[in-house]
Amino acid sequence: MENLEKAGLAVNYNKVPDTKSKSLPKRVYIWDETLRDGEQTPGVALTIDEKIEIAKKLDEVGTAIVAVGFPAVSEEEKKAVAAIAKEGLSKAIVAAPARAVISDVEACIEAGVKEVPIFIATSDFRLKYQLRMTREEMLERLVECIEFGKEHGLIIDYIAEDATRSDMEFLCEAYRTAIDAGADKICIADTVGFVRPEVMKHIVRQIKERLWSKSKYKVPMSVHCHDDFGLATANTLAAIEEGVTYPQVCVNAYGERAGNAAYEEIVMALEELYGIDTGVETEKLFGLSKLVERHFVVPLPLHKAISGDNAFTHSSGIHSHGQLTHSMTYEPISPNLVGRRREFHLGKFVGRHFVEYLLKMGGVKATPDQAREITDRVKRTHEEQKKTQSKVAFDKMKEDLKGLRTGVSEREFWEIVFDVV
Ligand code: MN
């Protein structure tokens, strides 16, 4: 884009001052949840070695905070978290979450992590049906856990679960109470991916209005968005536009249900569309994505933004030819920026110019008639291919993929039940 802009041949509206919020931060710190929320993708369980390898890669790429697991889940999980904490990461802070329960915070302390995000819901609905607590009881529990963590020298964050469905006055009371008790950062969780980007901005502004008037309450803010409506990336960016500096993300958008905001999408949007520094070495993003995909054994959609196999592949003749005249014709960024290369896939949409280009690159001399024939044959080959076989293979592959999920399916669960009862 840069050269085209300089030459006055293309306009970049992303740089128009009016389109940038005054609250936009200059630096954003990536908080990765791949090994925690990401691992809660149905059917995924990582070995300690896989966790260590992913944590190291996240560190190498430039992640600020890596949540490496949930120590209270099991002794095995605590061991995995402790192994990473013991080994230590070179730059990233090793974090692990706790419910607002003292024994959860203790598990994090035993695992040896530096930072503990403590979460408890603020919506009246969750308090009534899930936690069965009054607002006062919830705040007491929160204070007790934060103070306990601070006494043990930890960095403590308060994650307001279900924040986007909570009464604003109470949500802010919870944040103030947490900060008074020693919380270093606060987090807005859109736990069920329920809000629109404009609503996310409204919520962040409301929180700032209530908290930032007193400097002691002006602590860094984080955001945790789920993708139930496909808005996790948009909502995360909306929060950042209002001054949130610690977006929580998962590589490849993995996570519970429809997943979380994608690490690679947030980083590339911030770096390329907003011009914000994330501290991430973007050329390493594709390697990170592939490593995580393989250990998760959850295949990415081919058309996934940034990291999907097709994200930089051109197929139609018009596009392929366009790419040859100038790389920016049909690409917003160079694939090299994320550690990839441009690819072409030929088929019914292929054009003669592109075929001629490939022949030239391959050092093959062909007459115009021959080039036309090659083009026609590529088109015909594609059009005449029968899909019956590939559909059978596809169905089998989908079934096989389900079989690769670890854990217990509903059917297997009932088999266990009838065996026991
Ligand atoms: Mn989550």
Side-chain angles (χ1 to χ4, degrees), residues 32-40 44-59 66-74 76-85 87-89 94-97 288 291-292 295-296:
D32 183 83
E33 285 279 324
T34 308
L35 298 172
R36 205 279 303 166
D37 205 320
E39 204 189 353
Q40 287 169 231
V44 174
L46 300 168
T47 65
I48 292 187
D49 288 344
E50 286 166 346
K51 278 200 174 224
I52 292 175
E53 198 183 349
I54 292 174
K56 281 187 173 167
K57 187 76 179 174
L58 285 164
D59 183 32
V66 181
V68 297
F70 197 168
V73 165
S74 68
E76 196 57 25
E77 177 78 354
K78 192 165 50 175
K79 259 192 237 161
V81 173
I84 302 171
E87 201 148 332
L89 298 175
V94 178
L288 172 67
L291 174 75
V292 173
H295 286 336
F296 271 54

Side-chain angles (χ1 to χ4, degrees), residues 27-272:
R27 175 70 155 87
V28 161
Y29 302 86
I30 300 298
W31 175 334
D32 183 83
E33 285 279 324
T34 308
L35 298 172
R36 205 279 303 166
D37 205 320
E39 204 189 353
Q40 287 169 231
T41 302
V44 174
L46 300 168
T47 65
I48 292 187
D49 288 344
E50 286 166 346
K51 278 200 174 224
I52 292 175
E53 198 183 349
I54 292 174
K56 281 187 173 167
K57 187 76 179 174
L58 285 164
D59 183 32
E60 181 200 322
V61 168
T63 316
I65 300 172
V66 181
V68 297
F70 197 168
V73 165
S74 68
E75 277 306 309
E76 196 57 25
E77 177 78 354
K78 192 165 50 175
K79 259 192 237 161
V81 173
I84 302 171
K86 188 161 175 253
E87 201 148 332
L89 298 175
S90 72
K91 278 180 278 170
I93 294 175
V94 178
R99 290 169 298 179
V101 177
I102 291 290
S103 59
D104 275 28
V105 185
E106 277 172 335
C108 294
I109 294 166
E110 283 161 29
V113 299
K114 280 207 182 96
E115 177 157 357
V116 178
I118 295 176
F119 64 92
I120 190 163
T122 39
S123 62
D124 289 319
F125 154 72
R126 291 285 204 101
L127 287 170
K128 183 170 182 199
Y129 291 103
Q130 183 191 23
L131 299 166
R132 295 168 200 279
M133 279 181 203
T134 62
R135 287 176 168 189
E136 291 69 32
E137 285 166 342
M138 173 284 212
L139 292 178
E140 258 173 53
R141 280 268 290 278
L142 180 61
V143 167
E144 192 191 350
C145 289
I146 292 175
E147 285 178 345
F148 183 73
K150 291 310 287 183
E151 280 161 22
H152 286 83
L154 299 169
I155 301 170
I156 298 286
D157 315 304
Y158 169 48
I159 318 269
E161 231 199 319
D162 218 16
T164 54
R165 295 193 297 178
S166 301
D167 172 67
M168 185 54 68
E169 297 310 326
F170 180 62
L171 175 65
C172 289
E173 188 186 339
Y175 285 142
R176 277 191 297 264
T177 306
I179 296 165
D180 283 334
D184 298 283
K185 289 192 281 301
I186 55 170
C187 176
I188 305 158
D190 187 25
T191 306
V192 295
F194 186 63
V195 299
R196 292 183 271 121
E198 204 52 53
V199 174
M200 179 56 86
K201 286 188 181 185
H202 169 82
I203 290 171
V204 179
R205 283 196 298 263
Q206 295 284 313
I207 294 169
K208 283 196 297 190
E209 219 169 83
R210 284 163 180 76
L211 262 59
W212 286 19
S213 51
K214 264 197 184 166
S215 62
K216 93 179 259 207
Y217 294 123
K218 201 173 171 178
V219 300
M221 287 196 284
S222 172
V223 73
H224 180 96
C225 294
H226 274 274
D227 208 31
D228 297 72
F229 281 88
L231 291 172
T233 295
N235 285 335
T236 303
L237 294 173
I240 292 168
E241 287 186 21
E242 290 299 334
V244 164
T245 46
Y246 283 84
Q248 295 189 3
V249 294
C250 287
V251 175
N252 299 336
Y254 293 136
E256 298 224 41
R257 304 188 310 282
N260 293 74
Y263 187 119
E264 59 280 9
E265 291 172 22
I266 294 295
V267 167
M268 290 316 291
L270 289 173
E271 296 272 351
E272 289 300 309

Side-chain angles (χ1 to χ4, degrees), residues 24 37 66 112 158 168 199 238-240 297 303-304 314 350 354 381:
L24 201 62
D37 205 320
V66 181
Y158 169 48
M168 185 54 68
V199 174
I240 292 168
V297 200
H303 58 282
K304 164 81 183 62
H314 303 279
V350 76
F354 185 59
T381 306

